[in-house]
Amino acid sequence: MAQLDTLDILVLVALLLGTVAYFTKGTYWAVQKDPYASSFANGTAGKAGKSRNILERMDEQGKNCVIFYGSQTGTAEDYASRLAKEGSSRFGLKTMTADLEEYDYENLDQFPEDKVAFFVLATYGEGEPTDNAVEFYEFIGGEDVSFSEKAGEEKPLGSLKYVAFGLGNNTYEHYNSMVRNVSKYLDKLGGTRIGEAGEGDDGAGTMEEDFLAWKEPMWAALASAMELEEREAVYEPVFEITEKPDLNAEDDTVYLGEPNKNHLEGQSKGPYNAHNPYIAPIHSSKELFNDKTRNCLHMEIDISGSNLSYTTGDHIAIWPTNSGKEVDRFINIINLNEKRHSVIAVKGLDATAKVPFPSPTTYDAVVRYQLEIGAGLSRQFVSQLAQFAPNDTIKAELTKAGTDADYFRENVAKKNYNIAQFLEFMSSGEKWEKIPFSIFIEALHKLQPRYYSISSSSLVQKNKISITAVVGSLETPGAPNVVKGVTTNYLLALKQKQAGDPHPDPNGLDYAITGPRNKYDGIHVPVHVRHSNFKLPSDPSRPVVMVGPGTGVAPFRGFVAERAQQAENGEKVGKTILFFGCRKQHEDFLYEDEWKQHKEVLGDNFELVTAFSREGTNKVYVQHRLKEYGEMVNKLLEQKAYFYVCGDASNMAREVNEVLCSVISEQRGVPKQKAEEIVKAMRASNQYQEDVWS
């Protein structure tokens, strides 16, 4: 028998170890994995290792109803969750929600006839899909869409039953184009829609009532099509909340507001995006208004070293935190004061239920950093809360508000209540001890980043992003509460801190500006960049006309700075006209000195047209000034000038559109209808661009 040499022994040992490893799966020496590491390391929530085959996923979990959502701000995702809960509790459907970007769609042609798909789709900007719906939209609307088994067939989706609801804004030209187009594509491919395609209108302020009015006949149609029996709906939690007395809030495994594991461990890394913010230093900040009753902030945010980049016209997202005043109110009214820093674990009771934030965490951290506690209430949520009322009198009142739309509008919606203010009012301060905390996670939106038009030029300062923001305050006659902007007041607190105030407290809101575990130290802010199609022409010699009253001037500050820099670089720059409006020249004339500096560089190629609405007997707005300059504007448009509008969508932007149609009609001697067609063609070719909000 031959002697075993050293190499043979090493090989045998390696084989033995490999065999043991295979059969034990590393049980004896594997490092215990952080259960949240894959889900929240860099913000790719729930995606790691999960099949992109939706049919496999539904079969694995025993589901017969999937609710896809295309969501930008969280509202469509919220409606999808509500439909999933209602389908389960009222009709016994086995439901799941699905983020459109997490699945592939080539196998929709195999969708079983005994199952149903919902599509809850928000329209973003000028008729565009939301970020998470781009791939789906391009696939389903493609000229040569190809499915896995029925490629080439005329009606490959013949077995697909679907339901559709859209979220839109009638102040935009392409109102609810996502749900309309997707319904058209699905129908063309052979899909069968159950009920009407619903359309909610944020522009008219009727989104919630539109949704509620649509879903009842939809459920009736679906119950008939799938032979479902309605039953009495009772609250069934989607999430399990487990208190963890063995953990302390200061333990380094407990999330106190950090968005993911890398942030928790102090090792934040890119790519930075809508799931993973960059904690950016604030380079500088200042007040722009000379008006003690209002604030407008200019802030410079440093992105050097982050690998973040932007181009002029893009948006920056600010990740806010809720004010301490409202966090305290919320914690107090549901009687969690003594437990606010207790550690809790949150997990889905169903494998398809996605927890919207990492845990273990604390009640305080969830309320402060994760839930949109400052928003208005939905009638459906009020109806849900009735069963947890402190007494029968309050229960009856909530039931009435939840079922009577007119009563709800007058007694809840018009009062500007957020959830905690509403609970306080309804019970006269008596604690609501019966409400399960899980219902807030399910019913309240996740606290979303807020987007601001970048007011700097990437050509002038590529490593610093400027924002221009009025500090929000909404006062409604008859409403007991003044709604204070969550994010703008947060930014004001940061500005006060940077100015040397040791205890910044704007409007008594008491923000925790140092962030979780003091990681933001009061001079950093979580951000990411969202790219926009709102862009200057690639040829700087093309003329541009810009209309931007108030903080609508933000992107145009960047545009004009860029054109001035191009001129200094020796490039030929075309005529540049800016229509800017504010109340009074000496109070809120934004960037007055900067326009003078750009005028020195651009000369006659730059013209600033102002409208000061409160300085004369008659109010003068930018649309009035646009009409006065109609002849010049029309000549520039005939030279293929680009036309830009930024600001309020519901009034200003709509009126500017109407004035422009009138100008073209008068100056070119064409009927108003023809002028409207010309403006529509300008929009289609990107010669007319809007960056507007409602």
PDB file of all heavy atoms in Angstrom, residues 62-67 83-96 114-116 118 163 218-219 222-223 226-229 231 236 350:
ATOM      1  N   GLY A  62     -49.618  31.014  -2.348  1.00  0.00           N
ATOM      2  CA  GLY A  62     -51.035  30.663  -2.410  1.00  0.00           C
ATOM      3  C   GLY A  62     -51.937  31.855  -2.688  1.00  0.00           C
ATOM      4  O   GLY A  62     -53.036  31.959  -2.121  1.00  0.00           O
ATOM      5  N   LYS A  63     -51.509  32.776  -3.560  1.00  0.00           N
ATOM      6  CA  LYS A  63     -52.265  33.993  -3.842  1.00  0.00           C
ATOM      7  C   LYS A  63     -53.070  33.861  -5.135  1.00  0.00           C
ATOM      8  O   LYS A  63     -52.630  33.231  -6.094  1.00  0.00           O
ATOM      9  CB  LYS A  63     -51.313  35.200  -3.975  1.00  0.00           C
ATOM     10  CG  LYS A  63     -50.409  35.405  -2.771  1.00  0.00           C
ATOM     11  CD  LYS A  63     -51.207  35.682  -1.504  1.00  0.00           C
ATOM     12  CE  LYS A  63     -50.302  35.973  -0.322  1.00  0.00           C
ATOM     13  NZ  LYS A  63     -51.056  36.156   0.927  1.00  0.00           N
ATOM     14  N   ASN A  64     -54.243  34.480  -5.131  1.00  0.00           N
ATOM     15  CA  ASN A  64     -55.028  34.513  -6.374  1.00  0.00           C
ATOM     16  C   ASN A  64     -55.325  35.943  -6.827  1.00  0.00           C
ATOM     17  O   ASN A  64     -56.089  36.174  -7.743  1.00  0.00           O
ATOM     18  CB  ASN A  64     -56.338  33.734  -6.223  1.00  0.00           C
ATOM     19  CG  ASN A  64     -57.251  34.314  -5.157  1.00  0.00           C
ATOM     20  OD1 ASN A  64     -56.905  35.282  -4.479  1.00  0.00           O
ATOM     21  ND2 ASN A  64     -58.413  33.704  -4.977  1.00  0.00           N
ATOM     22  N   CYS A  65     -54.689  36.919  -6.149  1.00  0.00           N
ATOM     23  CA  CYS A  65     -54.907  38.331  -6.502  1.00  0.00           C
ATOM     24  C   CYS A  65     -53.624  39.110  -6.240  1.00  0.00           C
ATOM     25  O   CYS A  65     -53.132  39.128  -5.111  1.00  0.00           O
ATOM     26  CB  CYS A  65     -56.063  38.906  -5.681  1.00  0.00           C
ATOM     27  SG  CYS A  65     -56.305  40.683  -5.890  1.00  0.00           S
ATOM     28  N   VAL A  66     -53.086  39.738  -7.284  1.00  0.00           N
ATOM     29  CA  VAL A  66     -51.894  40.567  -7.128  1.00  0.00           C
ATOM     30  C   VAL A  66     -52.259  42.006  -7.470  1.00  0.00           C
ATOM     31  O   VAL A  66     -52.957  42.270  -8.455  1.00  0.00           O
ATOM     32  CB  VAL A  66     -50.722  40.070  -8.001  1.00  0.00           C
ATOM     33  CG1 VAL A  66     -51.090  40.049  -9.486  1.00  0.00           C
ATOM     34  CG2 VAL A  66     -49.477  40.942  -7.781  1.00  0.00           C
ATOM     35  N   ILE A  67     -51.790  42.942  -6.654  1.00  0.00           N
ATOM     36  CA  ILE A  67     -52.073  44.361  -6.877  1.00  0.00           C
ATOM     37  C   ILE A  67     -50.751  45.058  -7.155  1.00  0.00           C
ATOM     38  O   ILE A  67     -49.967  45.335  -6.242  1.00  0.00           O
ATOM     39  CB  ILE A  67     -52.807  44.978  -5.676  1.00  0.00           C
ATOM     40  CG1 ILE A  67     -54.155  44.270  -5.497  1.00  0.00           C
ATOM     41  CG2 ILE A  67     -53.055  46.463  -5.896  1.00  0.00           C
ATOM     42  CD1 ILE A  67     -54.596  44.105  -4.102  1.00  0.00           C
ATOM     43  N   LEU A  83     -56.456  48.191  -1.030  1.00  0.00           N
ATOM     44  CA  LEU A  83     -57.225  47.243  -1.844  1.00  0.00           C
ATOM     45  C   LEU A  83     -56.906  45.805  -1.451  1.00  0.00           C
ATOM     46  O   LEU A  83     -57.795  44.951  -1.412  1.00  0.00           O
ATOM     47  CB  LEU A  83     -56.940  47.472  -3.330  1.00  0.00           C
ATOM     48  CG  LEU A  83     -57.528  48.759  -3.929  1.00  0.00           C
ATOM     49  CD1 LEU A  83     -56.934  49.022  -5.305  1.00  0.00           C
ATOM     50  CD2 LEU A  83     -59.054  48.666  -4.023  1.00  0.00           C
ATOM     51  N   ALA A  84     -55.631  45.545  -1.170  1.00  0.00           N
ATOM     52  CA  ALA A  84     -55.239  44.190  -0.766  1.00  0.00           C
ATOM     53  C   ALA A  84     -55.925  43.795   0.541  1.00  0.00           C
ATOM     54  O   ALA A  84     -56.460  42.683   0.674  1.00  0.00           O
ATOM     55  CB  ALA A  84     -53.723  44.107  -0.618  1.00  0.00           C
ATOM     56  N   LYS A  85     -55.925  44.710   1.500  1.00  0.00           N
ATOM     57  CA  LYS A  85     -56.558  44.413   2.791  1.00  0.00           C
ATOM     58  C   LYS A  85     -58.060  44.213   2.642  1.00  0.00           C
ATOM     59  O   LYS A  85     -58.642  43.287   3.205  1.00  0.00           O
ATOM     60  CB  LYS A  85     -56.288  45.557   3.766  1.00  0.00           C
ATOM     61  CG  LYS A  85     -54.879  45.603   4.317  1.00  0.00           C
ATOM     62  CD  LYS A  85     -54.802  46.489   5.536  1.00  0.00           C
ATOM     63  CE  LYS A  85     -55.571  45.864   6.682  1.00  0.00           C
ATOM     64  NZ  LYS A  85     -55.492  46.644   7.925  1.00  0.00           N
ATOM     65  N   GLU A  86     -58.672  45.098   1.857  1.00  0.00           N
ATOM     66  CA  GLU A  86     -60.121  45.021   1.705  1.00  0.00           C
ATOM     67  C   GLU A  86     -60.523  43.762   0.933  1.00  0.00           C
ATOM     68  O   GLU A  86     -61.516  43.101   1.268  1.00  0.00           O
ATOM     69  CB  GLU A  86     -60.628  46.276   0.984  1.00  0.00           C
ATOM     70  CG  GLU A  86     -62.131  46.441   1.074  1.00  0.00           C
ATOM     71  CD  GLU A  86     -62.591  47.806   0.602  1.00  0.00           C
ATOM     72  OE1 GLU A  86     -61.734  48.692   0.357  1.00  0.00           O
ATOM     73  OE2 GLU A  86     -63.816  47.992   0.477  1.00  0.00           O
ATOM     74  N   GLY A  87     -59.763  43.419  -0.091  1.00  0.00           N
ATOM     75  CA  GLY A  87     -60.064  42.206  -0.856  1.00  0.00           C
ATOM     76  C   GLY A  87     -59.986  40.970   0.008  1.00  0.00           C
ATOM     77  O   GLY A  87     -60.778  40.034  -0.137  1.00  0.00           O
ATOM     78  N   SER A  88     -59.033  40.987   0.931  1.00  0.00           N
ATOM     79  CA  SER A  88     -58.872  39.850   1.839  1.00  0.00           C
ATOM     80  C   SER A  88     -59.970  39.801   2.891  1.00  0.00           C
ATOM     81  O   SER A  88     -60.616  38.764   3.092  1.00  0.00           O
ATOM     82  CB  SER A  88     -57.496  39.933   2.505  1.00  0.00           C
ATOM     83  OG  SER A  88     -57.366  38.965   3.511  1.00  0.00           O
ATOM     84  N   SER A  89     -60.218  40.942   3.560  1.00  0.00           N
ATOM     85  CA  SER A  89     -61.156  40.919   4.686  1.00  0.00           C
ATOM     86  C   SER A  89     -62.615  40.836   4.242  1.00  0.00           C
ATOM     87  O   SER A  89     -63.427  40.192   4.905  1.00  0.00           O
ATOM     88  CB  SER A  89     -60.941  42.156   5.566  1.00  0.00           C
ATOM     89  OG  SER A  89     -61.213  43.342   4.849  1.00  0.00           O
ATOM     90  N   ARG A  90     -62.960  41.472   3.109  1.00  0.00           N
ATOM     91  CA  ARG A  90     -64.365  41.497   2.681  1.00  0.00           C
ATOM     92  C   ARG A  90     -64.750  40.329   1.778  1.00  0.00           C
ATOM     93  O   ARG A  90     -65.888  39.864   1.802  1.00  0.00           O
ATOM     94  CB  ARG A  90     -64.670  42.801   1.928  1.00  0.00           C
ATOM     95  CG  ARG A  90     -64.888  44.008   2.807  1.00  0.00           C
ATOM     96  CD  ARG A  90     -65.197  45.242   1.987  1.00  0.00           C
ATOM     97  NE  ARG A  90     -66.427  45.148   1.209  1.00  0.00           N
ATOM     98  CZ  ARG A  90     -66.863  46.097   0.377  1.00  0.00           C
ATOM     99  NH1 ARG A  90     -66.140  47.197   0.210  1.00  0.00           N
ATOM    100  NH2 ARG A  90     -67.994  45.949  -0.284  1.00  0.00           N
ATOM    101  N   PHE A  91     -63.788  39.851   0.968  1.00  0.00           N
ATOM    102  CA  PHE A  91     -64.146  38.865  -0.060  1.00  0.00           C
ATOM    103  C   PHE A  91     -63.324  37.579   0.004  1.00  0.00           C
ATOM    104  O   PHE A  91     -63.512  36.689  -0.822  1.00  0.00           O
ATOM    105  CB  PHE A  91     -64.008  39.489  -1.457  1.00  0.00           C
ATOM    106  CG  PHE A  91     -64.927  40.658  -1.671  1.00  0.00           C
ATOM    107  CD1 PHE A  91     -64.476  41.954  -1.512  1.00  0.00           C
ATOM    108  CD2 PHE A  91     -66.259  40.463  -2.006  1.00  0.00           C
ATOM    109  CE1 PHE A  91     -65.328  43.039  -1.689  1.00  0.00           C
ATOM    110  CE2 PHE A  91     -67.116  41.531  -2.189  1.00  0.00           C
ATOM    111  CZ  PHE A  91     -66.649  42.830  -2.025  1.00  0.00           C
ATOM    112  N   GLY A  92     -62.414  37.486   0.966  1.00  0.00           N
ATOM    113  CA  GLY A  92     -61.648  36.257   1.116  1.00  0.00           C
ATOM    114  C   GLY A  92     -60.619  36.028   0.036  1.00  0.00           C
ATOM    115  O   GLY A  92     -60.102  34.909  -0.111  1.00  0.00           O
ATOM    116  N   LEU A  93     -60.288  37.060  -0.737  1.00  0.00           N
ATOM    117  CA  LEU A  93     -59.235  36.920  -1.741  1.00  0.00           C
ATOM    118  C   LEU A  93     -57.890  36.717  -1.052  1.00  0.00           C
ATOM    119  O   LEU A  93     -57.639  37.246   0.036  1.00  0.00           O
ATOM    120  CB  LEU A  93     -59.170  38.165  -2.626  1.00  0.00           C
ATOM    121  CG  LEU A  93     -60.252  38.325  -3.690  1.00  0.00           C
ATOM    122  CD1 LEU A  93     -60.246  39.751  -4.235  1.00  0.00           C
ATOM    123  CD2 LEU A  93     -60.042  37.328  -4.828  1.00  0.00           C
ATOM    124  N   LYS A  94     -57.021  35.966  -1.691  1.00  0.00           N
ATOM    125  CA  LYS A  94     -55.655  35.780  -1.195  1.00  0.00           C
ATOM    126  C   LYS A  94     -54.787  36.810  -1.914  1.00  0.00           C
ATOM    127  O   LYS A  94     -54.339  36.590  -3.038  1.00  0.00           O
ATOM    128  CB  LYS A  94     -55.167  34.356  -1.461  1.00  0.00           C
ATOM    129  CG  LYS A  94     -56.073  33.273  -0.885  1.00  0.00           C
ATOM    130  CD  LYS A  94     -56.182  33.378   0.636  1.00  0.00           C
ATOM    131  CE  LYS A  94     -57.051  32.267   1.223  1.00  0.00           C
ATOM    132  NZ  LYS A  94     -57.252  32.441   2.678  1.00  0.00           N
ATOM    133  N   THR A  95     -54.597  37.961  -1.273  1.00  0.00           N
ATOM    134  CA  THR A  95     -54.023  39.111  -1.961  1.00  0.00           C
ATOM    135  C   THR A  95     -52.548  39.337  -1.628  1.00  0.00           C
ATOM    136  O   THR A  95     -52.059  38.936  -0.575  1.00  0.00           O
ATOM    137  CB  THR A  95     -54.786  40.395  -1.583  1.00  0.00           C
ATOM    138  OG1 THR A  95     -54.703  40.577  -0.170  1.00  0.00           O
ATOM    139  CG2 THR A  95     -56.243  40.322  -1.996  1.00  0.00           C
ATOM    140  N   MET A  96     -51.862  40.016  -2.533  1.00  0.00           N
ATOM    141  CA  MET A  96     -50.509  40.498  -2.303  1.00  0.00           C
ATOM    142  C   MET A  96     -50.306  41.769  -3.120  1.00  0.00           C
ATOM    143  O   MET A  96     -50.946  41.968  -4.157  1.00  0.00           O
ATOM    144  CB  MET A  96     -49.459  39.460  -2.719  1.00  0.00           C
ATOM    145  CG  MET A  96     -49.437  39.142  -4.204  1.00  0.00           C
ATOM    146  SD  MET A  96     -48.104  38.019  -4.701  1.00  0.00           S
ATOM    147  CE  MET A  96     -46.685  39.121  -4.647  1.00  0.00           C
ATOM    148  N   ASP A 114     -58.277  31.898 -13.215  1.00  0.00           N
ATOM    149  CA  ASP A 114     -58.964  31.978 -11.923  1.00  0.00           C
ATOM    150  C   ASP A 114     -58.294  32.964 -10.963  1.00  0.00           C
ATOM    151  O   ASP A 114     -58.589  32.984  -9.769  1.00  0.00           O
ATOM    152  CB  ASP A 114     -59.045  30.589 -11.278  1.00  0.00           C
ATOM    153  CG  ASP A 114     -57.669  29.983 -11.005  1.00  0.00           C
ATOM    154  OD1 ASP A 114     -56.660  30.517 -11.538  1.00  0.00           O
ATOM    155  OD2 ASP A 114     -57.593  28.995 -10.259  1.00  0.00           O
ATOM    156  N   LYS A 115     -57.386  33.788 -11.485  1.00  0.00           N
ATOM    157  CA  LYS A 115     -56.725  34.799 -10.671  1.00  0.00           C
ATOM    158  C   LYS A 115     -56.952  36.168 -11.302  1.00  0.00           C
ATOM    159  O   LYS A 115     -57.399  36.272 -12.443  1.00  0.00           O
ATOM    160  CB  LYS A 115     -55.232  34.495 -10.544  1.00  0.00           C
ATOM    161  CG  LYS A 115     -54.961  33.149  -9.860  1.00  0.00           C
ATOM    162  CD  LYS A 115     -53.498  32.883  -9.611  1.00  0.00           C
ATOM    163  CE  LYS A 115     -53.316  31.517  -8.923  1.00  0.00           C
ATOM    164  NZ  LYS A 115     -51.911  31.230  -8.585  1.00  0.00           N
ATOM    165  N   VAL A 116     -56.630  37.226 -10.550  1.00  0.00           N
ATOM    166  CA  VAL A 116     -56.870  38.575 -11.049  1.00  0.00           C
ATOM    167  C   VAL A 116     -55.684  39.471 -10.702  1.00  0.00           C
ATOM    168  O   VAL A 116     -55.050  39.305  -9.658  1.00  0.00           O
ATOM    169  CB  VAL A 116     -58.186  39.164 -10.471  1.00  0.00           C
ATOM    170  CG1 VAL A 116     -58.100  39.329  -8.957  1.00  0.00           C
ATOM    171  CG2 VAL A 116     -58.538  40.499 -11.131  1.00  0.00           C
ATOM    172  N   PHE A 118     -54.522  43.560 -10.334  1.00  0.00           N
ATOM    173  CA  PHE A 118     -54.885  44.975 -10.255  1.00  0.00           C
ATOM    174  C   PHE A 118     -53.678  45.804 -10.714  1.00  0.00           C
ATOM    175  O   PHE A 118     -52.530  45.420 -10.457  1.00  0.00           O
ATOM    176  CB  PHE A 118     -55.199  45.387  -8.815  1.00  0.00           C
ATOM    177  CG  PHE A 118     -56.518  44.936  -8.275  1.00  0.00           C
ATOM    178  CD1 PHE A 118     -56.892  43.593  -8.249  1.00  0.00           C
ATOM    179  CD2 PHE A 118     -57.406  45.866  -7.740  1.00  0.00           C
ATOM    180  CE1 PHE A 118     -58.089  43.181  -7.716  1.00  0.00           C
ATOM    181  CE2 PHE A 118     -58.623  45.466  -7.195  1.00  0.00           C
ATOM    182  CZ  PHE A 118     -58.971  44.122  -7.194  1.00  0.00           C
ATOM    183  N   VAL A 163     -57.956  44.674 -13.124  1.00  0.00           N
ATOM    184  CA  VAL A 163     -58.661  45.837 -12.586  1.00  0.00           C
ATOM    185  C   VAL A 163     -57.685  47.002 -12.657  1.00  0.00           C
ATOM    186  O   VAL A 163     -56.478  46.815 -12.465  1.00  0.00           O
ATOM    187  CB  VAL A 163     -59.077  45.582 -11.115  1.00  0.00           C
ATOM    188  CG1 VAL A 163     -59.609  46.841 -10.458  1.00  0.00           C
ATOM    189  CG2 VAL A 163     -60.111  44.457 -11.044  1.00  0.00           C
ATOM    190  N   MET A 218     -66.564  48.493  -8.470  1.00  0.00           N
ATOM    191  CA  MET A 218     -65.510  47.570  -8.912  1.00  0.00           C
ATOM    192  C   MET A 218     -65.594  46.260  -8.143  1.00  0.00           C
ATOM    193  O   MET A 218     -65.526  45.168  -8.726  1.00  0.00           O
ATOM    194  CB  MET A 218     -64.139  48.222  -8.724  1.00  0.00           C
ATOM    195  CG  MET A 218     -62.949  47.328  -9.109  1.00  0.00           C
ATOM    196  SD  MET A 218     -62.423  46.132  -7.827  1.00  0.00           S
ATOM    197  CE  MET A 218     -61.857  47.226  -6.518  1.00  0.00           C
ATOM    198  N   TRP A 219     -65.746  46.351  -6.805  1.00  0.00           N
ATOM    199  CA  TRP A 219     -65.830  45.123  -6.010  1.00  0.00           C
ATOM    200  C   TRP A 219     -67.050  44.293  -6.419  1.00  0.00           C
ATOM    201  O   TRP A 219     -66.979  43.058  -6.497  1.00  0.00           O
ATOM    202  CB  TRP A 219     -65.914  45.442  -4.518  1.00  0.00           C
ATOM    203  CG  TRP A 219     -64.629  45.857  -3.860  1.00  0.00           C
ATOM    204  CD1 TRP A 219     -64.436  46.957  -3.082  1.00  0.00           C
ATOM    205  CD2 TRP A 219     -63.370  45.168  -3.883  1.00  0.00           C
ATOM    206  NE1 TRP A 219     -63.136  47.013  -2.627  1.00  0.00           N
ATOM    207  CE2 TRP A 219     -62.460  45.920  -3.100  1.00  0.00           C
ATOM    208  CE3 TRP A 219     -62.924  44.000  -4.499  1.00  0.00           C
ATOM    209  CZ2 TRP A 219     -61.132  45.537  -2.914  1.00  0.00           C
ATOM    210  CZ3 TRP A 219     -61.590  43.614  -4.316  1.00  0.00           C
ATOM    211  CH2 TRP A 219     -60.720  44.370  -3.544  1.00  0.00           C
ATOM    212  N   LEU A 222     -66.184  42.551  -9.637  1.00  0.00           N
ATOM    213  CA  LEU A 222     -65.191  41.494  -9.421  1.00  0.00           C
ATOM    214  C   LEU A 222     -65.822  40.305  -8.703  1.00  0.00           C
ATOM    215  O   LEU A 222     -65.534  39.138  -9.041  1.00  0.00           O
ATOM    216  CB  LEU A 222     -64.011  42.043  -8.613  1.00  0.00           C
ATOM    217  CG  LEU A 222     -62.829  41.083  -8.446  1.00  0.00           C
ATOM    218  CD1 LEU A 222     -62.201  40.751  -9.791  1.00  0.00           C
ATOM    219  CD2 LEU A 222     -61.767  41.677  -7.512  1.00  0.00           C
ATOM    220  N   ALA A 223     -66.673  40.587  -7.721  1.00  0.00           N
ATOM    221  CA  ALA A 223     -67.346  39.498  -7.002  1.00  0.00           C
ATOM    222  C   ALA A 223     -68.179  38.663  -7.962  1.00  0.00           C
ATOM    223  O   ALA A 223     -68.218  37.428  -7.869  1.00  0.00           O
ATOM    224  CB  ALA A 223     -68.225  40.069  -5.892  1.00  0.00           C
ATOM    225  N   MET A 226     -65.699  36.625 -10.384  1.00  0.00           N
ATOM    226  CA  MET A 226     -64.928  35.564  -9.751  1.00  0.00           C
ATOM    227  C   MET A 226     -65.759  34.753  -8.756  1.00  0.00           C
ATOM    228  O   MET A 226     -65.222  33.922  -8.032  1.00  0.00           O
ATOM    229  CB  MET A 226     -63.690  36.151  -9.052  1.00  0.00           C
ATOM    230  CG  MET A 226     -62.694  36.801 -10.004  1.00  0.00           C
ATOM    231  SD  MET A 226     -61.159  37.297  -9.185  1.00  0.00           S
ATOM    232  CE  MET A 226     -60.425  35.693  -8.774  1.00  0.00           C
ATOM    233  N   GLU A 227     -67.069  35.017  -8.721  1.00  0.00           N
ATOM    234  CA  GLU A 227     -67.986  34.296  -7.839  1.00  0.00           C
ATOM    235  C   GLU A 227     -67.528  34.377  -6.380  1.00  0.00           C
ATOM    236  O   GLU A 227     -67.397  33.357  -5.683  1.00  0.00           O
ATOM    237  CB  GLU A 227     -68.143  32.837  -8.288  1.00  0.00           C
ATOM    238  CG  GLU A 227     -68.727  32.724  -9.696  1.00  0.00           C
ATOM    239  CD  GLU A 227     -68.916  31.277 -10.135  1.00  0.00           C
ATOM    240  OE1 GLU A 227     -68.422  30.370  -9.420  1.00  0.00           O
ATOM    241  OE2 GLU A 227     -69.542  31.066 -11.176  1.00  0.00           O
ATOM    242  N   LEU A 228     -67.271  35.607  -5.928  1.00  0.00           N
ATOM    243  CA  LEU A 228     -66.834  35.844  -4.555  1.00  0.00           C
ATOM    244  C   LEU A 228     -68.034  36.155  -3.680  1.00  0.00           C
ATOM    245  O   LEU A 228     -69.012  36.742  -4.141  1.00  0.00           O
ATOM    246  CB  LEU A 228     -65.858  37.025  -4.501  1.00  0.00           C
ATOM    247  CG  LEU A 228     -64.621  36.949  -5.404  1.00  0.00           C
ATOM    248  CD1 LEU A 228     -63.849  38.264  -5.341  1.00  0.00           C
ATOM    249  CD2 LEU A 228     -63.719  35.786  -4.986  1.00  0.00           C
ATOM    250  N   GLU A 229     -67.965  35.781  -2.422  1.00  0.00           N
ATOM    251  CA  GLU A 229     -69.024  36.106  -1.464  1.00  0.00           C
ATOM    252  C   GLU A 229     -68.502  37.122  -0.462  1.00  0.00           C
ATOM    253  O   GLU A 229     -67.449  36.927   0.144  1.00  0.00           O
ATOM    254  CB  GLU A 229     -69.488  34.842  -0.726  1.00  0.00           C
ATOM    255  CG  GLU A 229     -70.302  33.908  -1.592  1.00  0.00           C
ATOM    256  CD  GLU A 229     -70.918  32.774  -0.787  1.00  0.00           C
ATOM    257  OE1 GLU A 229     -70.950  32.902   0.462  1.00  0.00           O
ATOM    258  OE2 GLU A 229     -71.355  31.791  -1.394  1.00  0.00           O
ATOM    259  N   ARG A 231     -68.268  39.193   2.972  1.00  0.00           N
ATOM    260  CA  ARG A 231     -68.469  38.872   4.381  1.00  0.00           C
ATOM    261  C   ARG A 231     -68.188  40.122   5.203  1.00  0.00           C
ATOM    262  O   ARG A 231     -67.663  41.113   4.685  1.00  0.00           O
ATOM    263  CB  ARG A 231     -67.539  37.732   4.799  1.00  0.00           C
ATOM    264  CG  ARG A 231     -66.067  38.063   4.604  1.00  0.00           C
ATOM    265  CD  ARG A 231     -65.187  36.830   4.717  1.00  0.00           C
ATOM    266  NE  ARG A 231     -63.777  37.169   4.734  1.00  0.00           N
ATOM    267  CZ  ARG A 231     -62.795  36.281   4.668  1.00  0.00           C
ATOM    268  NH1 ARG A 231     -63.078  34.997   4.569  1.00  0.00           N
ATOM    269  NH2 ARG A 231     -61.532  36.663   4.711  1.00  0.00           N
ATOM    270  N   GLU A 236     -57.836  42.757  10.396  1.00  0.00           N
ATOM    271  CA  GLU A 236     -56.847  41.686  10.469  1.00  0.00           C
ATOM    272  C   GLU A 236     -55.485  42.319  10.228  1.00  0.00           C
ATOM    273  O   GLU A 236     -55.212  42.810   9.130  1.00  0.00           O
ATOM    274  CB  GLU A 236     -57.121  40.614   9.403  1.00  0.00           C
ATOM    275  CG  GLU A 236     -58.458  39.919   9.569  1.00  0.00           C
ATOM    276  CD  GLU A 236     -58.801  39.026   8.383  1.00  0.00           C
ATOM    277  OE1 GLU A 236     -58.087  39.113   7.357  1.00  0.00           O
ATOM    278  OE2 GLU A 236     -59.769  38.272   8.475  1.00  0.00           O
ATOM    279  N   ASP A 350     -47.670  37.824   6.622  1.00  0.00           N
ATOM    280  CA  ASP A 350     -47.765  37.121   5.352  1.00  0.00           C
ATOM    281  C   ASP A 350     -46.423  37.319   4.668  1.00  0.00           C
ATOM    282  O   ASP A 350     -45.829  38.394   4.738  1.00  0.00           O
ATOM    283  CB  ASP A 350     -48.903  37.754   4.528  1.00  0.00           C
ATOM    284  CG  ASP A 350     -49.104  37.083   3.186  1.00  0.00           C
ATOM    285  OD1 ASP A 350     -48.154  37.090   2.395  1.00  0.00           O
ATOM    286  OD2 ASP A 350     -50.207  36.579   2.926  1.00  0.00           O
TER     287      ASP A 350
END
